[in-house]
Amino acid sequence: MQRPIFTVVTTAKNEKNKDVLRETFENWERATEPFGRSVEFIVVDAGGNTELPWTDLTNIVSSEEYKRYKEELYRSKIIKHQWWDSPSIGRNCGFRYANGWIVVFQDIDSLFSTGTDFDYEYVTELDAYDNWFEVMYQAFKRKNIVAATPSLRPRDSRKISRRFAAMGLNTLTRMSLKLPSISVHDTIMVGGSVPGCSIAMLREIAAKLTADGTGPYDPELAIGEDYKLSRRLGMCGKVSYEKKAGIFVRTLSRVSGGFDITKSLVYALKWAPHYLFPGRYCKYQKHTLSM
């Protein structure tokens, strides 16, 4: 069997909304049509989910296997608490099955731009995107990069406040990618800071970042794990921002619906330590920073 170009790794935990999952998988199938069997999906069932959709390109890692993997981490003292659970563990578990040249870590509730009129169900004509996989393939083929991050837009609302919030995050990401990764006392304090909803990287580079055979993510982290990974990638080479590749993310439970300056400032203050020092102060803490 021919080796796939892309492996998309995602983790599902406590996903109860069948309609959201069905819509997500339909989008993924539509976005990958130009590549056919050159894209594979690894979906890690971390437990508590409704029945997960399935396609002939999908490999579902069972919840039982996920639990065994966590037990291995605990027995090996890679994680300190048997009760600990995080998306990082699921991503690393799925990475063990990745065969693609490019590995994509994608949230289960995030959609790829298709480069067709289907995208306008989520964005306006102001956001003209190409097919996500086509853009990323050309980026890795033509540029000397180790990883790439897309442009973000809301999946669940066209409100201008939510659109501006995503644009602000994109700007912050682009600015951070211009900085070199600098490590101080084993903490990478400066460097690219890429949101964890979607990031693509060369598999060989991700494998180099793997510690103790676990995977590229720090399994002790559920907060700031994406920033830590992206800064480590920056120490291996260039990470590019691909404006024409769109990812549509779920925001209703995470972002305030209005122009609430007070909430924005409080959120910025709460998030600043995790942004500046990813992984230093938040091991074994759950993500509770939504506003």
Side-chain angles (χ1 to χ4, degrees):
M1 181 177 177
Q2 184 179 3
R3 181 183 177 184
I5 297 173
F6 291 95
T7 297
V8 180
V9 177
T10 190
T11 302
K13 185 175 181 64
N14 296 328
E15 293 289 343
K16 305 293 187 183
N17 193 318
K18 293 182 179 180
D19 293 335
V20 169
L21 287 173
R22 184 176 63 253
E23 181 185 8
T24 299
F25 276 68
E26 287 175 354
N27 165 267
W28 291 3
E29 283 190 288
R30 186 175 291 126
T32 57
E33 282 177 0
F35 282 83
R37 302 196 69 85
S38 293
V39 182
E40 66 174 0
F41 291 88
I42 310 296
V43 181
V44 179
D45 183 351
N49 302 295
T50 185
E51 184 178 354
L52 296 173
W54 181 87
T55 72
D56 60 355
L57 302 178
T58 304
N59 176 15
I60 295 181
V61 178
S62 70
S63 57
E64 290 76 17
E65 184 171 350
Y66 174 75
K67 291 175 183 177
R68 288 195 296 270
Y69 177 70
K70 279 210 316 172
E71 285 295 325
E72 290 175 16
L73 296 181
Y74 177 68
R75 288 195 302 270
S76 302
K77 298 183 179 180
I78 294 171
I79 59 174
K80 297 178 181 178
H81 305 289
Q82 199 167 14
W83 53 263
W84 177 242
D85 205 1
S86 73
S88 296
I89 294 175
R91 291 164 182 158
N92 287 346
C93 180
F95 178 69
R96 300 192 303 175
Y97 294 89
N99 298 305
W101 170 49
I102 300 167
V103 178
V104 184
F105 290 101
Q106 178 89 355
D107 282 357
I108 193 70
D109 55 5
S110 297
L111 310 180
F112 296 105
S113 62
T114 65
T116 70
D117 289 344
F118 288 110
D119 292 347
Y120 297 131
E121 183 176 346
Y122 310 101
V123 296
T124 69
E125 287 78 2
L126 296 174
D127 300 309
Y129 290 114
D130 295 334
N131 180 280
W132 188 97
F133 289 92
E134 291 279 6
V135 173
M136 289 298 183
Y137 176 71
Q138 292 300 327
F140 281 99
K141 186 177 179 181
R142 296 178 179 178
K143 300 178 182 179
N144 184 23
I145 60 175
V146 299
T149 183
S151 170
L152 304 183
R153 287 293 186 271
R155 163 182 179 165
D156 42 32
S157 173
R158 296 193 198 182
K159 288 185 177 180
I160 195 168
S161 59
R162 294 188 184 279
R163 187 173 182 274
F164 278 1
M167 292 171 68
L169 184 58
N170 290 335
T171 300
L172 186 61
T173 299
R174 294 180 73 172
M175 291 175 60
S176 74
L177 290 175
K178 297 180 183 298
L179 302 173
S181 292
I182 300 176
S183 178
V184 179
H185 301 302
D186 297 324
T187 299
I188 306 176
M189 298 178 60
V190 179
S193 300
V194 175
C197 48
S198 181
I199 183 170
M201 64 196 72
L202 294 174
R203 190 194 185 285
E204 61 179 301
I205 298 298
K208 287 181 180 180
L209 299 181
T210 296
D212 303 316
T214 59
Y217 283 89
D218 186 334
E220 296 182 286
L221 295 180
I223 306 174
E225 78 286 353
D226 44 1
Y227 295 138
K228 181 176 181 178
L229 173 61
S230 56
R231 293 179 192 183
R232 292 180 70 204
L233 285 167
M235 299 188 79
C236 298
K238 183 179 179 181
V239 181
S240 73
Y241 174 82
E242 298 301 326
K243 182 179 179 180
K244 298 300 289 184
I247 290 290
F248 312 140
V249 300
R250 196 159 56 181
T251 65
L252 289 181
S253 63
R254 303 173 186 172
V255 182
S256 176
F259 291 101
D260 194 323
I261 297 176
T262 302
K263 276 190 174 184
S264 297
L265 290 174
V266 171
Y267 180 83
L269 290 172
K270 289 174 67 176
W271 184 252
H274 308 297
Y275 183 86
L276 295 172
F277 312 105
R280 192 167 182 83
Y281 304 111
C282 53
K283 289 186 177 182
Y284 304 106
Q285 295 181 28
K286 295 295 184 180
H287 196 305
T288 58
L289 296 177
S290 298
M291 293 294 292

